[in-house]
Amino acid sequence: MSTRFLLPLASLLLTAASLCAAQPNIILIMSDDMGFSDLGCYGGEIQTPNLDRLAKGGVRLSQFYNAGRCCPTRASLLTGLYPHQAGIGHMMEDRGQDGYRGDLNNRCVTIAEVLKPAGYRTYAVGKWHVTKHAQPEGPKHNWPLHRGFDRFYGTITGAGSFYDPGTLTRDDTMISPFADPEYQPKQYYYTDAISDHAVRYINEHANAQKDKPFFMYMAYTSAHWPMHALPEDVAKYKGKYDAGYESMRQARLLRMQQMGLIAKNAELSPTFGDWTQVKDKEWETRCMETYAAMIDRMDQGIGRVVGTLEKKGLLQNTLILFLQDNGGCQEPIGRQAKPPAFNEKTFPVIAQDAIRLDVIPKQTRDGQPVKQGQGIMPGGPNDYIAYGEAWANVSNTPHREYKHFVHEGGISTPLIAHWPAGIPEAQHGKIETQPGHLIDLMATCADVAEATYPAEFNGQTIRPKEGLSLIPVFKGQSPATRSIFWEHEGNRAHRAGPWKLVAKENKPWELYNIDQDRAEMHDLAATEPERVQTMAAAWETWAAHAQVLPIGAWKKPDIVKNAKGKRSK
């Protein structure tokens, strides 16, 4: 070989080696209230070309789990602990037990707090929802800038209008989207605002902090109620859902089987809702069309983020993870009320610079009433409607149950991992079946960042992380079998290997072989009593360890007091 080729070749090899050795950037993206089969790359008909591209160039996990509800999931994701250990076993109220304080405690650390000492800049955009303190002048010790993040744009609470979100905050200050000197789009839409700020922070980082890696937490509120979507996105799905619930579920099931996400002989759980009995099909399809449009818009924003990484030369060594906070949401917000007989009532105008805190607003800023009820077409700023249980059942195809529950429909989420410099090309497009959980994300981020998870932080003893790094899984290696546990609102579960023990509140344990019965249709508890007993005992041990007990602690404190000392049967 001529020596004139040796120096360039050596330089190329050195560059490649240094790239692989460098700490990667990490972007952790989470959507809200979406089902297992909504994404195109998980069997859905919704157009998600950008997430599909990440899946094709990365790895998909088919048995990854969340905590079944927004707040517990966010607490677990951020800390690498089970949600009760971080203080958020339920929602944002203090229920009188350490596992249910409704606020991140000081015995946990966030991913941002772990990665900053390893040299990372840290950014958060979107929904926070891990503190009960959501007043503009109230305590802020659990707001993002006080839990390890350098910059933040998003909402402190969990839901609200996409056109005028309550508790909107930039860094440490609540703002109005209409009096924000830094961001004034032609049409304010929260999903776009989250994407735009992610792009902004990446650009600013690349221009001023390019010597440092970054960690970004993107928490979209799409596709949480209300069904708010821009008209051009809704129009793309006109007529898409006219065939009804069962037809859509069967089509998704077939695509999932063909993709290898579920077994070829996988069963479909019962369909909720009879399309032939739906009286107002135009309204019912519009709900799902709007839901699909919300996801479509989020995917468009993720595409802009990926495009920005490419433009800045950062995509190759950026680990991107995408997941969802719980299964499809069956909550009937705004669907049951009858439309008011007189819809022309107006309210006093709200000032453009006023700070809004409302989750379900009564009015728009210009004084128009926010309408709910059957027949009110969703999508615009003056309606507030959920898409309903039947469509949530479609979203969760082929699984049982929904958000709140710990059957597969409540806790199963896609997990897409994309990292060209770290995931072997032979793995690209692969589906990995090993069970994983939110608790593994802290361990994964610390692993790739070469960061140390602390035993103490700010003078406080920190609970040991509960999860395992997923990097071996992304590389196609099989980790050791371990147990994973859940409790939410008395619903509880234990997964060990192919076996899953699960129960609803105050109901007996059910047992399923998930490898053979992902839809949880065939309860084996009666034929496997010893396995049930062993797995139930392990759940009790975990529950004591993880601050889950007493069962019922998510209820009002007086109910908890009366139930103290009782255990699940």
Side-chain angles (χ1 to χ4, degrees):
M1 180 185 292
S2 171
T3 55
R4 64 191 178 93
F5 293 110
L6 293 178
L7 285 177
L9 178 60
S11 176
L12 181 63
L13 292 173
L14 184 62
T15 300
S18 64
L19 178 63
C20 292
Q23 293 167 298
N25 305 306
I26 304 170
I27 301 181
L28 207 168
I29 308 172
M30 186 161 65
S31 66
D32 202 344
D33 277 15
M34 283 177 57
F36 184 72
S37 66
D38 282 325
L39 302 181
C41 54
Y42 276 79
E45 70 292 322
I46 300 172
Q47 297 176 35
T48 55
N50 296 294
L51 285 167
D52 297 351
R53 174 194 170 191
L54 294 178
K56 185 177 180 180
V59 174
R60 281 168 288 172
L61 270 62
S62 63
Q63 296 189 47
F64 195 75
Y65 291 112
N66 52 45
R69 187 77 172 275
C70 46
C71 304
T73 282
R74 288 159 211 282
S76 189
L77 176 151
L78 282 168
T79 66
L81 303 176
Y82 285 104
H84 314 75
Q85 294 172 310
I88 305 180
H90 188 239
M91 296 289 281
M92 300 290 90
E93 303 88 19
D94 189 338
R95 296 303 191 183
Q97 300 287 334
D98 286 346
Y100 302 86
R101 294 294 183 186
D103 223 4
L104 284 183
N105 60 39
N106 60 9
R107 294 201 60 197
C108 66
V109 285
T110 68
I111 296 174
E113 288 170 331
V114 171
L115 266 53
K116 283 192 78 171
Y120 278 72
R121 287 278 293 177
T122 54
Y123 309 94
V125 290
K127 175 174 171 176
W128 186 239
H129 211 201
V130 288
T131 180
K132 60 188 175 185
H133 300 294
Q135 297 294 319
E137 303 304 327
K140 298 181 179 180
H141 60 279
N142 268 329
W143 285 25
L145 264 62
H146 302 268
R147 294 306 306 240
F149 289 95
D150 294 308
R151 298 298 309 275
F152 172 66
Y153 177 90
T155 44
I156 301 300
T157 51
S161 171
F162 283 72
Y163 298 99
D164 189 4
T167 70
L168 186 65
T169 299
R170 182 184 300 286
D171 293 330
D172 229 18
T173 304
M174 280 193 185
I175 58 173
S176 162
F178 305 109
D180 180 2
E182 297 186 31
Y183 182 70
Q184 284 295 315
K186 184 176 180 181
Q187 165 70 68
Y188 186 91
Y189 183 67
Y190 189 33
T191 301
D192 284 348
I194 292 170
S195 303
D196 291 345
H197 279 81
V199 167
R200 170 185 170 176
Y201 292 153
I202 292 169
N203 280 322
E204 290 177 353
H205 181 93
N207 294 336
Q209 303 280 342
K210 61 182 180 181
D211 294 334
K212 290 186 175 183
F214 70 83
F215 167 69
M216 180 177 291
Y217 172 43
M218 296 180 64
Y220 285 100
T221 52
S222 176
H224 195 292
W225 48 258
M227 299 296 101
H228 281 172
L230 300 176
E232 60 268 32
D233 295 323
V234 177
K236 294 167 65 174
Y237 294 92
K238 182 65 176 176
K240 176 69 75 173
Y241 299 99
D242 288 357
Y245 317 126
E246 179 70 16
S247 176
M248 300 309 301
R249 295 189 83 220
Q250 291 289 349
R252 288 189 178 196
L253 176 70
L254 179 59
R255 286 191 293 268
M256 296 168 78
Q257 290 169 331
Q258 292 171 338
M259 288 178 178
L261 283 162
I262 58 175
K264 293 289 186 182
N265 61 348
E267 294 183 70
L268 184 65
S269 63
T271 294
F272 180 87
D274 183 347
W275 189 248
T276 65
Q277 300 301 309
V278 175
K279 294 180 180 179
D280 190 346
K281 289 185 172 63
E282 182 181 5
W283 177 70
E284 187 70 359
T285 55
R286 175 62 178 267
C287 288
M288 187 61 186
E289 290 165 2
T290 308
Y291 175 85
M294 295 168 74
I295 295 170
D296 189 309
R297 195 72 175 194
M298 176 187 67
D299 184 80
Q300 294 174 43
I302 292 171
R304 293 202 303 276
V305 169
V306 173
T308 303
L309 293 171
E310 287 182 301
K311 184 178 179 180
K312 295 297 183 180
L314 299 174
L315 184 61
Q316 183 74 9
N317 200 31
T318 297
L319 170 60
I320 302 174
L321 299 169
F322 175 89
L323 72 157
Q324 298 160 188
D325 69 343
N326 46 247
C329 177
Q330 81 283 20
E331 296 165 345
I333 302 298
R335 294 178 60 86
Q336 296 177 328
K338 293 181 179 179
F342 184 63
N343 281 330
E344 302 306 317
K345 178 181 179 181
T346 57
F347 295 88
V349 171
I350 298 174
Q352 293 292 90
D353 61 351
I355 304 300
R356 300 199 71 166
L357 303 176
D358 38 11
V359 171
I360 303 181
K362 294 181 179 179
Q363 67 168 97
T364 59
R365 282 191 187 249
D366 62 1
Q368 299 301 309
V370 171
K371 303 172 185 178
Q372 295 182 318
Q374 294 187 19
I376 298 295
M377 290 297 182
N382 64 338
D383 58 71
Y384 206 101
I385 295 169
Y387 76 153
E389 184 173 354
W391 290 123
N393 181 235
V394 173
S395 289
N396 291 338
T397 303
H399 305 320
R400 280 179 58 192
E401 302 301 343
Y402 316 92
K403 172 182 178 179
H404 296 263
F405 300 101
V406 296
H407 284 77
E408 293 291 285
I411 58 175
S412 295
T413 171
L415 181 70
I416 300 170
H418 183 275
W419 182 21
I423 297 176
E425 188 172 351
Q427 281 289 100
H428 292 183
K430 292 287 185 68
I431 296 172
E432 293 292 339
T433 61
Q434 296 92 329
H437 188 276
L438 295 162
I439 55 175
D440 300 330
L441 298 179
M442 167 69 85
T444 302
C445 291
D447 183 8
V448 300
E450 298 182 350
T452 301
Y453 183 91
E456 292 187 1
F457 189 80
N458 289 340
Q460 295 290 331
T461 300
I462 300 301
R463 290 182 178 274
K465 64 179 182 293
E466 294 279 349
L468 303 174
S469 173
L470 295 171
I471 298 305
V473 177
F474 299 159
K475 294 181 178 181
Q477 302 165 13
S478 298
T481 300
R482 43 85 185 252
S483 286
I484 304 171
F485 300 95
W486 293 264
E487 188 277 335
H488 184 66
E489 295 186 343
N491 304 305
R492 54 206 189 276
H494 173 192
R495 175 77 193 265
W499 296 99
K500 182 181 176 186
L501 193 70
V502 61
K504 291 185 178 180
E505 184 190 16
N506 296 324
K507 299 294 183 181
W509 287 112
E510 304 163 14
L511 180 69
Y512 301 98
N513 186 318
I514 296 299
D515 284 355
Q516 300 173 5
D517 182 22
R518 189 79 190 271
E520 297 169 308
M521 299 291 290
H522 306 285
D523 183 5
L524 303 176
T527 59
E528 294 268 1
E530 291 184 6
R531 191 182 302 276
V532 170
Q533 184 178 13
T534 299
M535 292 183 71
W539 186 91
E540 291 278 354
T541 299
W542 166 79
H545 160 77
Q547 299 188 146
V548 169
L549 303 178
I551 286 292
W554 61 279
K555 297 180 179 179
K556 293 180 180 180
D558 58 333
I559 296 176
V560 176
K561 184 178 180 180
N562 293 335
K564 192 172 182 180
K566 293 183 179 180
R567 297 290 185 267
S568 59
K569 299 296 185 183

